[in-house]
Amino acid sequence: MSSGVCARLRSRLAYVVKDPLINLSSFDWSPYWTTPSSMDDIHSVFQPPDIRYLRDHHPQTLASLISSISTHLVYLSKLSNVPIHKFPKIHLLNCIRLLTLFMPFLYEKSSSALLEDKIFWSAKYHSKHHTSGNLHEQISPTESNIPTPGVDDESHNGQSPNDETSSLKVDYHTMIHSDSPLGMELINSCLDLLFTLDFTVQSNKVSASFANDYQPIVWEPGCENLSHYMDPVLDLDSNRLEIIRLLLSLFSKNLYTTHGDLVGTGSRFLTVFVAVTNGRKYYTLCLSLINTILRSTQNNSNPTISPYVNSNINNNNGLEVQNNDVHKKIRILLVTSIIQLFSIIVVYPIPFKDINFLYKYNIILSHNNQPKNRTRMFLNKLNKIDDLKFIITTLSIPILNPINDLNNLSAFSYIMKSSKLIDDDEIHIWSKELLIILLEFFQCNSKYRSVFTELLGPEFFVSLMYFVLKYKDDGSQKNFVKLCVQNLLYLSSDLRMCSKLLSHFNIQLYESLPQLLRTSTTPTSYRDFLLIHLCNILGSFNNLNEFSNNKSTDSFSSN
């Protein structure tokens, strides 16, 4: 996008702000999703000071813009019987990118809660009705009161306004009204788009002929999907990343909530996502997320633990993309976003102080239907022994790494360093998220607890103690240390795990431990090992006040 077009889009926005007589309900915002061709273009038009100025001084203008973008995104995601080669995918991606950009600024100011309710929950979704099969959107003179010559004369591909792929023809006089709030429709659209053929999923059997062909295909082999790994596809990874970023942005309200109010208020988008969306689609998404995480935590040099290894490819963990640095970084960012999303939805408690909106806006019709976090239900439904062994063995690799091979970083950390996306002193890039997922599995799945005890047993305690000893004085890792202590506390309360602590300490394991984990005398049992180190830690504090200060720092959620 040229600097001239960017300037015209910015001046168009400035004109709206300055003219109080403009009717925002009929104003045409379409140039903001039809003109840009990348996220950089969007950032050049909407800079942080501009967005904050709109939010603080012209909230109705920002509300109109966000509402129009959201409505158009939902509309495009529901569009059917449109040939896929004529579908304006760039418009859809721009709507996703715009919302991803705007939502954190909306949540940043606590007084904007009423604005969020007005945009997404009080307002019903109004879908545009198509009157013809061609793909033009003709803006009548009465719908745009601002003369901006040239704004619509350029597109991301250099196409003319009369090109069939540029936009959509809409009859604004005929509207289809929905009983669902716009926020609910937006979440449903994101879920559908994550399983849209030739957009975010690929099938060897069929190819999409029309836009928005929903196909519930699990993204990766793994739990409940017996096949072999294939090389990642750049376009699919890129589109998945865009949608998951939008979901994380919609759920980011909790980042701007005080710790005391976090559990009570939560996020309405997140509540709807985990409790109200289509059950089959949500289950398929959970499978896709966990299988992608399981694939990415493996090491290409030693993938023998996985039954899904494909001997015909050299990229079984999906991260080591060859000869394409752009795809490599996109894949890394995608997996990072996936593990963040899965960690959020698996620990999210339904905020019972703010669920009345579900009944008020007819999202849930009966008060007898209490919303539940279905992610935890998903964890409980995975009961195949082979799947549970695969989950435990794969997710525990980075956690057990210090006591197995201190000098061998996990595959993901190595790739992140080689891509210069993390500092050299960062070792355990996914430690907190993996510990959270392992602990939630342990809490939700009784068969998992049995397999976990037999497969890992007390070795997991030893590895957690290593992290506590190494990072207890490192302020930057204090939340990770707390999480390790919480895991130690919870796991030791389980009868089966506790009984394992009474077994004799494996001499070969003890002799292979790093010096940090050695004790003055060889421990008889794992219980003795833990008690010696815990007493040494408590004795290292000068007084109880120092210990209390270290224990009363920020909560796990902050980092």
Side-chain angles (χ1 to χ4, degrees):
M1 186 173 68
S2 66
S3 58
V5 174
C6 175
R8 286 195 291 272
L9 288 176
R10 289 176 61 83
S11 65
R12 180 183 178 89
L13 185 62
Y15 195 99
V16 178
V17 170
K18 292 179 181 179
D19 190 349
L21 300 179
I22 290 180
N23 184 3
L24 293 175
S25 61
S26 61
F27 181 72
D28 172 35
W29 294 103
S30 62
Y32 293 97
W33 61 71
T34 59
T35 308
S37 60
S38 67
M39 194 65 178
D40 290 338
D41 292 344
I42 291 173
H43 277 285
S44 65
V45 176
F46 296 99
Q47 298 176 5
D50 302 329
I51 302 174
R52 289 192 176 97
Y53 177 79
L54 283 176
R55 180 198 64 197
D56 297 340
H57 301 283
H58 301 276
Q60 298 307 318
T61 301
L62 181 62
S64 174
L65 176 57
I66 294 177
S67 178
S68 297
I69 294 168
S70 303
T71 300
H72 196 66
L73 191 159
V74 175
Y75 159 69
L76 288 177
S77 72
K78 293 178 178 293
L79 196 62
S80 60
N81 298 325
V82 175
I84 194 168
H85 66 278
K86 294 183 177 181
F87 181 74
K89 185 173 73 172
I90 188 64
H91 298 181
L92 176 65
L93 290 173
N94 281 338
C95 289
I96 292 172
R97 292 162 179 164
L98 285 164
L99 279 182
T100 303
L101 175 63
F102 287 146
M103 293 308 296
F105 291 97
L106 188 65
Y107 295 140
E108 187 181 45
K109 191 174 182 180
S110 58
S111 60
S112 299
L114 293 177
L115 196 62
E116 178 199 354
D117 183 80
K118 176 182 177 181
I119 298 171
F120 295 108
W121 308 110
S122 299
K124 302 295 184 181
Y125 168 67
H126 296 168
S127 63
K128 302 170 183 178
H129 177 72
H130 281 70
T131 57
S132 63
N134 60 4
L135 297 178
H136 297 276
E137 185 173 271
Q138 306 295 343
I139 306 301
S140 64
T142 60
E143 289 169 342
S144 180
N145 299 322
I146 302 176
T148 53
V151 169
D152 293 317
D153 296 337
E154 299 183 38
S155 69
H156 65 283
N157 291 324
Q159 298 166 331
S160 67
N162 294 325
D163 186 54
E164 279 196 335
T165 61
S166 62
S167 52
L168 302 168
K169 185 175 181 179
V170 177
D171 181 2
Y172 286 89
H173 300 288
T174 306
M175 307 293 286
I176 299 176
H177 295 260
S178 169
D179 289 334
S180 298
L182 179 58
M184 178 70 189
E185 294 290 345
L186 180 60
I187 287 293
N188 285 334
S189 294
C190 289
L191 192 54
D192 288 340
L193 288 171
L194 286 171
F195 299 98
T196 299
L197 195 60
D198 290 345
F199 184 66
T200 49
V201 294
Q202 189 176 38
S203 174
N204 296 327
K205 298 180 181 179
V206 294
S207 180
S209 300
F210 295 95
N212 299 322
D213 184 358
Y214 173 80
Q215 295 289 336
I217 301 173
V218 180
W219 296 347
E220 299 285 358
C223 299
E224 299 189 13
N225 183 23
L226 298 178
S227 57
H228 290 92
Y229 294 134
M230 302 299 293
D231 283 322
V233 179
L234 175 58
D235 288 343
L236 301 184
D237 283 349
S238 178
N239 294 335
R240 289 171 186 169
L241 176 60
E242 296 283 4
I243 299 170
I244 291 177
R245 275 177 169 171
L246 172 58
L247 288 173
L248 290 172
S249 181
L250 293 173
F251 303 157
S252 65
K253 181 179 181 179
N254 293 336
L255 294 175
Y256 307 96
T257 305
T258 58
H259 297 154
D261 297 331
L262 186 61
V263 176
T265 57
S267 162
R268 287 188 173 184
F269 280 109
L270 192 48
T271 299
V272 168
F273 187 68
V274 302
V276 187
T277 49
N278 181 276
R280 182 187 176 190
K281 295 177 182 179
Y282 191 78
Y283 189 84
T284 306
L285 175 64
C286 288
L287 281 175
S288 299
L289 297 179
I290 191 64
N291 286 349
T292 304
I293 295 170
L294 292 172
R295 177 179 182 178
S296 304
T297 50
Q298 299 177 50
N299 195 325
N300 268 347
S301 61
N302 185 26
T304 54
I305 64 169
S306 172
Y308 313 103
V309 169
N310 188 343
S311 58
N312 296 322
I313 65 174
N314 297 319
N315 186 19
N316 277 289
N317 67 6
L319 298 173
E320 300 182 25
V321 181
Q322 302 295 324
N323 303 321
N324 192 333
D325 289 339
V326 173
H327 189 188
K328 183 178 181 179
K329 291 184 178 181
I330 287 177
R331 182 72 182 184
I332 290 172
L333 293 173
L334 170 65
V335 177
T336 304
S337 300
I338 284 174
I339 196 170
Q340 289 174 347
L341 176 62
F342 192 76
S343 300
I344 290 172
I345 62 177
V346 78
V347 301
Y348 181 68
I350 300 297
F352 289 99
K353 290 184 180 179
D354 189 27
I355 61 171
N356 288 332
F357 79 98
L358 296 173
Y359 309 107
K360 179 180 179 181
Y361 300 127
N362 296 322
I363 298 174
I364 296 180
L365 300 180
S366 173
H367 283 267
N368 295 327
N369 297 328
Q370 290 294 317
K372 298 179 180 179
N373 186 340
R374 293 170 301 171
T375 319
R376 300 176 68 83
M377 298 168 64
F378 162 79
L379 298 185
N380 184 52
K381 289 182 179 179
L382 296 177
N383 288 316
K384 293 182 179 180
I385 298 297
D386 290 341
D387 286 345
L388 295 178
K389 287 183 177 180
F390 180 52
I391 291 170
I392 295 169
T393 306
T394 306
L395 294 184
S396 63
I397 289 175
I399 308 301
L400 295 175
N401 190 62
I403 65 173
N404 290 335
D405 186 356
L406 190 62
N407 297 318
N408 181 26
L409 298 177
S410 67
F412 188 82
S413 295
Y414 172 77
I415 293 170
M416 291 288 281
K417 287 184 177 183
S418 63
S419 302
K420 298 182 179 179
L421 295 179
I422 62 172
D423 297 332
D424 287 338
D425 59 352
E426 183 66 52
I427 298 176
H428 308 286
I429 187 65
W430 280 355
S431 297
K432 287 187 285 293
E433 290 84 357
L434 292 179
L435 279 177
I436 288 172
I437 295 171
L438 286 167
L439 182 59
E440 293 300 325
F441 262 112
F442 197 90
Q443 292 176 340
C444 298
N445 193 316
S446 59
K447 187 173 290 187
Y448 174 93
R449 289 195 289 272
S450 176
V451 176
F452 184 92
T453 302
E454 296 301 323
L455 204 59
L456 296 184
E459 289 187 13
F460 197 72
F461 286 104
V462 176
S463 187
L464 291 176
M465 183 55 67
Y466 169 82
F467 290 123
V468 173
L469 291 171
K470 181 173 182 179
Y471 295 111
K472 63 183 177 66
D473 298 321
D474 186 348
S476 63
Q477 299 291 345
K478 60 185 178 182
N479 291 319
F480 176 54
V481 172
K482 290 179 181 180
L483 196 55
C484 291
V485 173
Q486 184 186 15
N487 272 264
L488 283 169
L489 181 63
Y490 188 87
L491 295 177
S492 61
S493 67
D494 181 79
L495 182 60
R496 283 170 293 195
M497 288 292 289
C498 189
S499 64
K500 288 289 184 179
L501 291 178
L502 299 177
S503 59
H504 288 286
F505 204 107
N506 187 307
I507 297 300
Q508 292 182 343
L509 173 62
Y510 183 78
E511 292 177 351
S512 66
L513 294 178
Q515 189 62 37
L516 182 64
L517 283 174
R518 301 290 183 91
T519 56
S520 55
T521 59
T522 304
T524 304
S525 65
Y526 292 94
R527 179 194 62 181
D528 297 340
F529 172 83
L530 291 179
L531 287 175
I532 291 172
H533 281 299
L534 288 174
C535 291
N536 288 337
I537 292 173
L538 292 175
S540 66
F541 292 100
N542 294 328
N543 52 60
L544 290 178
N545 288 333
E546 181 183 348
F547 176 69
S548 298
N549 291 335
N550 280 275
K551 293 293 289 181
S552 61
T553 49
D554 296 338
S555 66
F556 295 118
S557 57
S558 62
N559 184 20

Coordinates of all heavy atoms in Angstrom, one line a residue, residues 5 8-9 12 28 30-32 34-35 139 144 148-155 159-162:
V5 N -2.0 6.4 -0.3 CA -3.3 5.7 0.1 C -3.4 5.7 1.6 O -4.5 5.9 2.1 CB -3.3 4.3 -0.5 CG1 -4.5 3.5 0.0 CG2 -3.3 4.3 -2.0
R8 N -4.5 9.0 2.8 CA -6.0 9.2 2.5 C -6.8 8.5 3.5 O -7.9 9.0 3.9 CB -6.3 8.8 1.1 CG -5.8 9.8 0.0 CD -6.4 9.6 -1.3 NE -6.0 8.3 -1.9 CZ -4.9 8.2 -2.7 NH1 -4.1 9.3 -2.9 NH2 -4.6 7.1 -3.2
L9 N -6.4 7.3 3.8 CA -7.2 6.5 4.8 C -7.2 7.2 6.2 O -8.2 7.3 6.9 CB -6.7 5.1 4.9 CG -7.0 4.2 3.8 CD1 -6.3 2.8 4.0 CD2 -8.5 4.0 3.6
R12 N -9.3 10.3 6.0 CA -10.7 9.9 6.0 C -11.2 9.7 7.5 O -12.3 10.2 7.9 CB -10.9 8.6 5.3 CG -12.3 8.1 5.2 CD -12.3 6.7 4.4 NE -13.6 6.1 4.4 CZ -14.5 6.4 3.4 NH1 -14.2 7.2 2.4 NH2 -15.7 5.8 3.4
D28 N -19.6 4.3 5.7 CA -18.9 3.2 5.0 C -17.4 3.1 5.5 O -16.6 3.9 5.2 CB -18.9 3.5 3.5 CG -18.1 2.5 2.7 OD1 -18.0 1.3 3.1 OD2 -17.4 2.9 1.7
S30 N -15.7 0.3 4.7 CA -15.1 -0.8 3.9 C -13.7 -0.5 3.4 O -12.9 -1.4 3.3 CB -16.0 -1.1 2.8 OG -16.2 0.0 1.9
P31 N -13.3 0.8 3.1 CA -11.9 0.9 2.6 C -10.8 0.5 3.6 O -9.7 0.1 3.2 CB -11.8 2.5 2.4 CG -13.2 2.9 2.1 CD -14.1 2.0 3.0
Y32 N -11.2 0.4 4.9 CA -10.2 0.0 5.8 C -9.9 -1.5 5.8 O -8.9 -2.0 6.4 CB -10.6 0.4 7.2 CG -10.6 2.0 7.3 CD1 -11.7 2.7 7.2 CD2 -9.4 2.6 7.6 CE1 -11.7 4.1 7.2 CE2 -9.4 4.0 7.6 CZ -10.5 4.7 7.4 OH -10.5 6.1 7.5
T34 N -10.6 -3.3 2.7 CA -10.4 -3.6 1.3 C -9.1 -3.1 0.7 O -8.6 -3.7 -0.2 CB -11.6 -3.0 0.4 OG1 -11.6 -1.6 0.6 CG2 -12.9 -3.6 0.8
T35 N -8.5 -2.1 1.4 CA -7.3 -1.5 0.8 C -6.0 -2.1 1.3 O -5.1 -2.4 0.5 CB -7.3 0.0 1.1 OG1 -8.5 0.6 0.7 CG2 -6.1 0.7 0.4
I139 N -21.0 1.2 -3.3 CA -21.3 2.1 -2.3 C -22.1 3.2 -2.9 O -21.6 4.0 -3.7 CB -20.0 2.6 -1.6 CG1 -19.2 1.4 -1.1 CG2 -20.4 3.5 -0.4 CD1 -19.9 0.5 -0.2
S144 N -21.8 7.1 1.8 CA -20.5 7.7 2.1 C -20.5 9.2 1.9 O -20.6 9.7 0.8 CB -19.4 7.0 1.2 OG -18.1 7.6 1.5
T148 N -13.4 10.9 -0.8 CA -12.0 10.4 -0.7 C -11.5 9.8 -2.0 O -11.4 8.6 -2.1 CB -11.8 9.4 0.5 OG1 -12.7 8.4 0.3 CG2 -12.0 10.1 1.8
P149 N -11.3 10.6 -3.0 CA -11.0 10.0 -4.3 C -9.6 9.3 -4.2 O -8.7 9.8 -3.6 CB -10.9 11.3 -5.2 CG -10.6 12.4 -4.3 CD -11.3 12.1 -3.0
G150 N -9.6 8.1 -4.8 CA -8.4 7.4 -4.8 C -8.3 6.3 -3.8 O -7.6 5.3 -4.0
V151 N -9.1 6.4 -2.7 CA -9.0 5.3 -1.7 C -9.5 4.0 -2.2 O -8.9 3.0 -2.0 CB -9.9 5.8 -0.5 CG1 -10.1 4.6 0.5 CG2 -9.3 6.9 0.2
D152 N -10.6 4.0 -3.0 CA -11.1 2.8 -3.5 C -10.5 2.4 -4.9 O -11.0 1.5 -5.6 CB -12.6 2.8 -3.6 CG -13.2 2.9 -2.2 OD1 -12.8 2.1 -1.4 OD2 -14.2 3.7 -2.1
D153 N -9.6 3.3 -5.4 CA -9.1 3.1 -6.7 C -7.9 2.1 -6.8 O -7.4 1.8 -7.8 CB -8.6 4.4 -7.3 CG -9.8 5.3 -7.5 OD1 -11.0 4.8 -7.6 OD2 -9.6 6.6 -7.6
E154 N -7.4 1.7 -5.6 CA -6.3 0.8 -5.5 C -6.6 -0.3 -4.6 O -7.3 -0.2 -3.6 CB -5.0 1.6 -5.0 CG -4.6 2.8 -5.8 CD -3.3 3.4 -5.2 OE1 -2.5 2.7 -4.8 OE2 -3.3 4.6 -5.3
S155 N -6.1 -1.5 -4.9 CA -6.2 -2.6 -4.0 C -4.9 -3.3 -3.9 O -3.9 -2.9 -4.4 CB -7.3 -3.6 -4.6 OG -6.7 -4.2 -5.8
Q159 N -5.8 -4.4 -8.5 CA -7.0 -4.6 -9.2 C -7.8 -3.4 -9.2 O -7.8 -2.5 -8.3 CB -7.7 -5.8 -8.6 CG -7.0 -7.1 -8.6 CD -7.6 -8.1 -7.7 OE1 -8.2 -7.8 -6.8 NE2 -7.5 -9.4 -8.1
S160 N -8.6 -3.2 -10.3 CA -9.5 -2.1 -10.4 C -10.8 -2.4 -9.5 O -11.1 -3.5 -9.2 CB -10.0 -1.9 -11.8 OG -10.7 -3.0 -12.2
P161 N -11.5 -1.3 -9.2 CA -12.7 -1.5 -8.4 C -13.8 -2.4 -9.1 O -14.6 -3.0 -8.4 CB -13.3 -0.1 -8.2 CG -12.1 0.8 -8.5 CD -11.3 0.1 -9.5
N162 N -13.7 -2.6 -10.4 CA -14.7 -3.4 -11.1 C -14.3 -4.9 -11.2 O -15.0 -5.7 -11.7 CB -14.9 -2.8 -12.5 CG -15.5 -1.5 -12.5 OD1 -16.4 -1.2 -11.6 ND2 -15.2 -0.6 -13.4

